Amino acid sequence: MSITRGAHSRSVAALLATSLALPVLACRAPVARNETQVRIARRGADVIAVGGAPQLDDSIPGDAMLAGGQLRFSGATGEDYIGAGGSQSVTGRIHGSLRAAGGEIHVAAPIDRNATIAGGRVAIDSLAVVGRNAYIAGGEVRMAGTVRETLQITGGTVFIDGTVGGDVHVSAGELRVGPRARIDGSLYYRVPAGKARVDPAARIRGRVLALPAQDWSGAARLFRALLLIGFLVAGAVAVALAPRVAIDAAERLRERPGQAALVGFLWLVLVPIAAVIVAITLVGLPLALLACAIYLVVAYLGRVVLALWLGRLLLGPRAAGGRGGIVVGFLAGAIILAIVALIPVLGGLVWLVATIVGVGALLVAVRAWSRGAEEPRTLGA
C-alpha cells in the first residue's frame, strides 16, 4: 500500500509540474497562430498547443502538450500526452504516459505506460487500455476501460466496470463495482459504511477488503508534501527554460529590494480588485478569469525568484555554471524556504514575503526585457 501511495505522489507531482510549465514552454518556443486563436509551438519533437479550443490530430514524435478551455487529441504521440484545461477528449494513441488535469476528462485511447488524471468528472472509456498503472482523482470517476497493472482512485463517486490486471485501491465517498468488472488482484476500499456495493456478477480473483474510512489528516500531510514537491520540480523546470530572465529577476531583487517589494505588493493587492471590478460585467468575466489565472501563476513563480536569489547567495560561484548551476542554486534556496515554512506562524510570514518581493522582481525584469531596456544578464553572471 505504501509503495502504491508513493508512486501516486510522484505521478501527481509530475502532473502538477508539467501543468505549471506549459505557459513557460509556450512563451519560449516559436509560435504559430491559426484561425481559431490557438497558439501552436514546436520544440524539437514536441508540440505545444495553447488556446480556447486546441485540437491536435497529427502524429507527433515527442510529447503532445495542450492547455486551454476545450482540448481534443486524436493523433498519436511518440512519448507523453500532457493536458491542462476545462474539458479534454483523448481518443488517439499515446506511446508514453498520459497526464491530464481539468474539469471534465474523457479518455478512449490506448496508453503504453501510465495514466495520471485529476478532474471534476473523469471517464475512462471501454476503448481505453493503460499498459501499466493508472492513478485517478476526481469528483466523479467512471472506469470502464482496461488497466494492465495497478489502479488507484481517489474521488467522491467511483464506478468501476472495466478490467484491472492487478490490485485496485479506492478511497471515496461512494463506490460501485459493476457486473462487467474483472479484477485479477484484490480490491481494497476506504468508503463510509453502507456506501460500497459490489455487483454479484463482478469477478474478483483476490480479496475484497473494506478498510477504515480515510484519515484526512494524513491526506492533508500528503497534499502539503505534493505542493512542496511540485514547487521544487516546477521551479527547476522554469529556471532551466528561462535562465536569463530568472537570473535577471534574482539580480534585481539583490540590487533593488525596495522597488521589488513595492511592485510586488501593488500587484498582489490591485490585480484581484481590478478582476472583481471587471467581472461585474458579463462581457469582462472571461478577462477577469484570465487575470486570476495569470495572477496565481505569477504569485507561484515569485517564490521561485526568491529561492534562486537565496541559493545563489549561499552557493556563490558554484551556482553560476550554466543551466545546471542555476537549477542547483534554485533547489538549494527552495529547500531552505521549505524548511522555514514548517515553522508555525513564521513559515507563513516567510512565504508571504517571498511571494511579494519575488513577484516584484520578476515583473520588473520581464518588463525591462520585453521593452529591450537592457540586455538580460548572461548565464555566468
Side-chain angles (χ1 to χ4, degrees):
M1 189 71 176
S2 60
I3 296 176
T4 304
R5 183 172 298 174
H8 181 53
S9 301
R10 291 191 295 271
S11 299
V12 175
L15 174 60
L16 175 63
T18 50
S19 298
L20 288 169
L22 277 174
V24 179
L25 287 167
C27 291
R28 294 291 294 164
V31 173
R33 186 182 295 271
N34 65 15
E35 67 278 2
T36 58
Q37 300 300 308
V38 173
R39 297 165 62 86
I40 300 177
R42 295 182 181 271
R43 288 181 63 89
D46 303 333
V47 174
I48 306 155
V50 181
Q55 177 174 344
L56 292 178
D57 55 10
D58 299 330
S59 178
I60 298 169
D63 297 335
M65 293 174 274
L66 291 82
Q70 296 179 333
L71 316 182
R72 301 183 67 86
F73 182 79
S74 57
T77 70
E79 296 295 337
D80 298 341
Y81 168 92
I82 303 166
S87 65
Q88 299 182 51
S89 174
V90 184
T91 59
R93 173 63 188 264
I94 312 299
H95 285 285
S97 295
L98 178 142
R99 301 185 180 94
E104 184 169 347
I105 301 172
H106 175 258
V107 178
I111 302 163
D112 286 359
R113 295 202 288 268
N114 301 317
T116 304
I117 304 171
R121 298 179 62 186
V122 179
I124 309 300
D125 193 88
S126 58
L127 298 176
V129 179
V130 180
R132 296 182 185 173
N133 305 306
Y135 309 99
I136 305 173
E140 178 183 331
V141 178
R142 300 181 64 87
M143 210 298 288
T146 299
V147 177
R148 300 293 188 192
E149 297 182 11
T150 300
L151 170 64
Q152 180 163 331
I153 302 177
T154 301
T157 301
V158 175
F159 178 60
I160 299 175
D161 204 27
T163 301
V164 182
D167 293 339
V168 176
H169 302 266
V170 177
S171 177
E174 182 178 357
L175 170 65
R176 289 175 53 208
V177 179
R180 289 184 293 273
R182 302 291 182 268
I183 301 174
D184 290 341
S186 299
L187 170 63
Y188 304 95
Y189 63 88
R190 298 178 182 271
V191 177
K195 294 294 185 178
R197 183 164 64 87
V198 178
D199 193 285
R203 297 181 183 176
I204 303 175
R205 290 189 177 181
R207 297 185 300 167
V208 178
L209 182 61
L211 301 173
Q214 181 67 50
D215 180 6
W216 292 110
S217 62
R221 289 193 295 270
L222 176 61
F223 181 71
R224 287 196 295 269
L226 291 178
L227 287 180
L228 172 58
I229 295 171
F231 175 66
L232 294 175
V233 178
V237 170
V239 298
L241 289 173
R244 291 185 297 171
V245 175
I247 289 178
D248 201 41
E251 286 299 308
R252 289 179 184 277
L253 177 58
R254 179 181 65 84
E255 296 169 357
R256 307 171 189 173
Q259 182 190 29
L262 178 61
V263 172
F265 178 78
L266 293 176
W267 166 271
L268 293 172
V269 171
L270 296 180
V271 170
I273 296 175
V276 171
I277 295 174
V278 172
I280 293 176
T281 64
L282 293 177
V283 176
L285 184 57
L287 181 60
L289 294 176
L290 177 61
C292 290
I294 296 174
Y295 177 85
L296 294 175
V297 172
V298 172
Y300 193 91
L301 293 178
R303 300 168 184 173
V304 173
V305 173
L306 183 66
L308 177 60
W309 168 79
L310 182 59
R312 287 166 63 84
L313 178 66
L314 294 173
L315 298 179
R318 289 174 293 178
R323 280 184 171 83
I326 296 171
V327 171
V328 170
F330 159 74
L331 291 176
I335 291 172
I336 293 174
L337 285 179
I339 294 174
V340 175
L342 297 176
I343 303 175
V345 182
L346 178 61
L349 207 54
V350 169
W351 276 112
L352 177 61
V353 172
T355 303
I356 292 174
V357 297
V359 164
L362 179 63
L363 293 175
V364 172
V366 170
R367 181 173 180 271
W369 194 26
S370 63
R371 289 191 172 188
E374 65 179 72
E375 189 68 21
R377 293 166 174 78
T378 62
L379 298 187

